[in-house]
Amino acid sequence: MPLLVTGSIGVDTVETPAGRRDNVIGGSAVYFSYAASFFAPVRLVGVVGEDAPRELFNVFEHRDVDTGGLEVRKGSKTFRWHGSYLKDLNEAESVQTDLNVLAERAPKIPDNFRDSRYVFLANTHPVLQQEMLCCLKEPRLIVADTMNLWINTARADLVKLLGMIHGLVLNDGEARLLTEKKNLIEAARDVLKMGPKFVVIKKGEHGCLMVSERGTFVLPAYPADKVVDPTGAGDSFAGGMMGYLATQGNFSPATIKRALAFGTVVASYTISDFSLAGLQKTDRDAIDERWHHYKQAMDF
Amino acid sequence: MPLLVTGSIGVDTVETPAGRRDNVIGGSAVYFSYAASFFAPVRLVGVVGEDAPRELFNVFEHRDVDTGGLEVRKGSKTFRWHGSYLKDLNEAESVQTDLNVLAERAPKIPDNFRDSRYVFLANTHPVLQQEMLCCLKEPRLIVADTMNLWINTARADLVKLLGMIHGLVLNDGEARLLTEKKNLIEAARDVLKMGPKFVVIKKGEHGCLMVSERGTFVLPAYPADKVVDPTGAGDSFAGGMMGYLATQGNFSPATIKRALAFGTVVASYTISDFSLAGLQKTDRDAIDERWHHYKQAMDF
């Protein structure tokens, strides 16, 4: 079942204790698409400027990612982000953010993408996220990500979006900011009252938490002894999760749990190297093997 | 199989976002003993001053805790601690610490305790921890806790202790301080090189991590929607873990995993109320039920 994603596509400069990389490929929709494509066909919707580097178009060669929704906008510049993890490997410090084309109008969803049943709205303004939904014929599972910026500056729009989606994925700090609850279980329950059927709270190196009406599920992160670059971990997690769900055709608690575990495992590859290099070095067999190892590492 | 514990016994004043309690029962050995006694008979070794409150002696009535090693020292004062969690529920700020009798000579292990096979050395000076070991006939499992203070001020003594024990339990900050490794898996591996067969790193609300030569085991904390007072959580965790191990007679990876899960569940009762009140409200049946619920909440 094809999986539609819309979100940022960009060029990153990243500093971590392991080194620095200038002008590498990044963006939430890029990490998400690569990660999800280990599981299901992906339809990517996004926009770059005419300065977009060639590598950005090559990255999905040989991947099951339809880039028919990737707009190269003339006269515009590609989104750029410069982040540093030198102070805290668990949280990026933005050195510079140039929204560029992301501050303009949203990209269009191609007509042949409108029948997508599985949809992930990566982080962007909640009004744009809502607009995307209007173009879809009969979505079966809509999951969104968000961030502090929109919680602070567009709360009403975000709350409206929450009434239109099935699942919300956000990190612990964002969940606390959105609900003003310190305890994450309480925070998750407050999010459920706003509309979503389930909420996934990402805790970085501490794993994740999923809360739905049917219960609570907790997962530690994959025990990694080498974290090179955490950029894209959350998007890769969401990609692995949604990619697996798109292959299953049901949303039972057991299916969602397995999906979260796949998300966790895929993210463990992302953080093992800079940019997409960690994901590019793995394949579905290796992911399945690590998934079983991870399952076993928790089983008691 | 009786389980010997030695550590602090004291009177706490605690402030948390849920309220404040003055002069309540506390101390690492007290939490440990109460928690372990859900599983196995406990032998408590510790020392208090002649000002020790009556409740301290009553707390183990009707519990399988032999207080024959509890010395009431004339002319000495009981250990007192005043801690605050107002800034961070995951880490206590010590407002005041009066070591009192804990700064004097260590208590004696009674002769009839010397055949104990399972031993937990709760946090105290590593030289005192070593002295305890000299009095034991044939210990089968020795696990110790430690803290920042000894890592900073008595590192050589602590390293010597590590060569004499089977397991070390410590929190994430302590593991990083001891090994100068930020990554916890790397830190744990460095601890193993110092002697212990296994190391358990407690991460508070983020669960725990166990590393041995045979592998790595990760566990999230029990998903609690109400944290009243985290005091004693780590000691209760160790108590549940060691109490369960003392009933098993083997240290297979599977047994140790189950033990860590029992520790996690017992600690979830401790944090649900002030002082020992959370533990006093539960029983072994409720613990077993929550253990199964916890296992299920992670199973995928």
Side-chain angles (χ1 to χ4, degrees), chain B residues 139-239:
Chain B
R140 212 175 146 203
L141 177 69
I142 304 166
V143 178
D145 193 358
T146 192
M147 74 180 289
N148 287 359
L149 179 63
W150 317 124
I151 298 172
N152 283 323
T153 65
R155 178 180 286 263
D157 297 320
L158 177 60
V159 169
K160 190 176 170 199
L161 176 77
L162 293 181
M164 302 164 73
I165 61 175
H166 303 104
L168 181 69
V169 176
L170 74 181
N171 72 34
D172 44 1
E174 292 158 358
R176 289 182 170 124
L177 183 66
L178 177 59
T179 61
E180 291 171 2
K181 291 280 162 66
K182 265 201 129 178
N183 181 287
L184 292 178
I185 310 266
E186 282 193 88
R189 287 191 189 138
D190 277 13
V191 173
L192 293 185
K193 286 180 201 152
M194 300 179 189
K197 298 284 180 207
F198 68 92
V199 54
V200 177
I201 299 180
K202 300 172 288 180
K203 303 193 294 172
E205 64 170 320
H206 301 301
C208 71
L209 183 72
M210 191 271 291
V211 180
S212 73
E213 278 178 11
R214 294 197 264 185
T216 297
F217 179 49
V218 282
L219 271 184
Y222 185 83
D225 57 2
K226 186 183 147 212
V227 179
V228 170
D229 175 11
T231 308
D235 303 306
S236 304
F237 168 84

Side-chain angles (χ1 to χ4, degrees), chain A residues 176 183 185-186 189 203 205-206 216-220 223-225 257 261 291 294-300, chain B residues 176 183 185-186 189 203 205-206 216-220 223-225 257 261 291 295-300:
Chain A
R176 288 181 171 126
N183 181 286
I185 310 267
E186 282 192 89
R189 288 192 188 137
K203 302 193 293 171
E205 64 169 320
H206 301 301
T216 297
F217 180 49
V218 282
L219 271 184
D225 56 2
K257 286 175 178 189
W291 187 87
Y294 173 60
K295 182 174 161 64
Q296 200 185 8
M298 267 182 303
D299 192 42
F300 62 86
Chain B
R176 289 182 170 124
N183 181 287
I185 310 266
E186 282 193 88
R189 287 191 189 138
K203 303 193 294 172
E205 64 170 320
H206 301 301
T216 297
F217 179 49
V218 282
L219 271 184
D225 57 2
K257 286 174 178 190
W291 188 87
K295 184 173 160 63
Q296 200 186 10
M298 268 182 302
D299 192 43
F300 60 88

Side-chain angles (χ1 to χ4, degrees), chain B residues 22-249:
Chain B
D22 287 81
N23 304 319
V24 292
I25 293 166
S28 62
V30 173
Y31 280 106
F32 181 96
S33 297
Y34 206 103
S37 68
F38 288 111
F39 302 87
V42 178
R43 292 165 167 180
L44 172 61
V45 175
V47 56
V48 294
E50 57 185 345
D51 60 338
R54 193 183 168 73
E55 304 91 280
L56 222 160
F57 302 94
N58 295 341
V59 76
F60 294 118
E61 262 179 28
H62 312 300
R63 305 295 309 173
D64 199 353
V65 177
D66 185 339
T67 55
L70 175 53
E71 178 190 347
V72 182
R73 193 169 294 167
K74 281 197 178 159
S76 295
K77 281 182 160 181
T78 302
F79 167 61
R80 281 178 181 265
W81 179 72
H82 178 176
S84 169
Y85 297 90
L86 294 177
K87 279 189 197 152
D88 184 352
L89 206 50
N90 214 23
E91 198 178 338
E93 185 185 12
S94 287
V95 178
Q96 190 164 350
T97 306
D98 300 310
L99 286 176
N100 294 330
V101 72
L102 290 193
E104 305 170 10
R105 69 177 188 282
K108 259 189 68 184
I109 295 184
D111 286 344
N112 63 327
F113 282 11
R114 294 188 180 210
D115 62 351
S116 301
R117 308 289 290 272
Y118 293 81
V119 180
F120 187 74
L121 305 170
N123 172 37
T124 187
H125 194 294
V127 167
L128 296 185
Q129 290 176 311
Q130 288 171 41
E131 281 174 13
M132 289 291 169
L133 293 183
C134 299
C135 309
L136 299 168
K137 285 182 187 159
E138 37 175 352
R140 212 175 146 203
L141 177 69
I142 304 166
V143 178
D145 193 358
T146 192
M147 74 180 289
N148 287 359
L149 179 63
W150 317 124
I151 298 172
N152 283 323
T153 65
R155 178 180 286 263
D157 297 320
L158 177 60
V159 169
K160 190 176 170 199
L161 176 77
L162 293 181
M164 302 164 73
I165 61 175
H166 303 104
L168 181 69
V169 176
L170 74 181
N171 72 34
D172 44 1
E174 292 158 358
R176 289 182 170 124
L177 183 66
L178 177 59
T179 61
E180 291 171 2
K181 291 280 162 66
K182 265 201 129 178
N183 181 287
L184 292 178
I185 310 266
E186 282 193 88
R189 287 191 189 138
D190 277 13
V191 173
L192 293 185
K193 286 180 201 152
M194 300 179 189
K197 298 284 180 207
F198 68 92
V199 54
V200 177
I201 299 180
K202 300 172 288 180
K203 303 193 294 172
E205 64 170 320
H206 301 301
C208 71
L209 183 72
M210 191 271 291
V211 180
S212 73
E213 278 178 11
R214 294 197 264 185
T216 297
F217 179 49
V218 282
L219 271 184
Y222 185 83
D225 57 2
K226 186 183 147 212
V227 179
V228 170
D229 175 11
T231 308
D235 303 306
S236 304
F237 168 84
M241 176 187 90
M242 290 291 288
Y244 178 76
L245 285 176
T247 65
Q248 293 301 297

Side-chain angles (χ1 to χ4, degrees), chain A residues 17-77:
Chain A
R20 176 186 168 122
R21 291 295 181 277
D22 288 81
N23 303 319
V24 293
I25 293 165
S28 61
V30 173
Y31 280 105
F32 181 96
S33 296
Y34 206 104
S37 69
F38 288 110
F39 302 87
V42 178
R43 293 165 166 180
L44 171 61
V45 175
V47 57
V48 294
E50 57 185 349
D51 61 338
R54 194 184 168 74
E55 303 92 279
L56 221 159
F57 302 94
N58 295 341
V59 77
F60 294 117
E61 262 179 27
H62 313 298
R63 304 296 309 173
D64 199 353
V65 177
D66 185 338
T67 55
L70 176 52
E71 179 189 347
V72 182
R73 193 170 294 169
K74 281 197 179 161
S76 296
K77 282 184 159 180

Side-chain angles (χ1 to χ4, degrees), chain B residues 280-292:
Chain B
Q280 285 168 326
K281 272 184 278 194
T282 191
D283 58 26
R284 180 63 195 268
D285 285 347
I287 289 168
D288 284 353
E289 194 182 328
R290 187 174 285 190
W291 188 87
H292 284 286

Side-chain angles (χ1 to χ4, degrees), chain A residues 149-164:
Chain A
L149 179 63
W150 316 125
I151 298 171
N152 283 324
T153 65
R155 178 179 286 263
D157 297 320
L158 178 60
V159 169
K160 191 176 169 198
L161 176 77
L162 293 181
M164 301 165 72

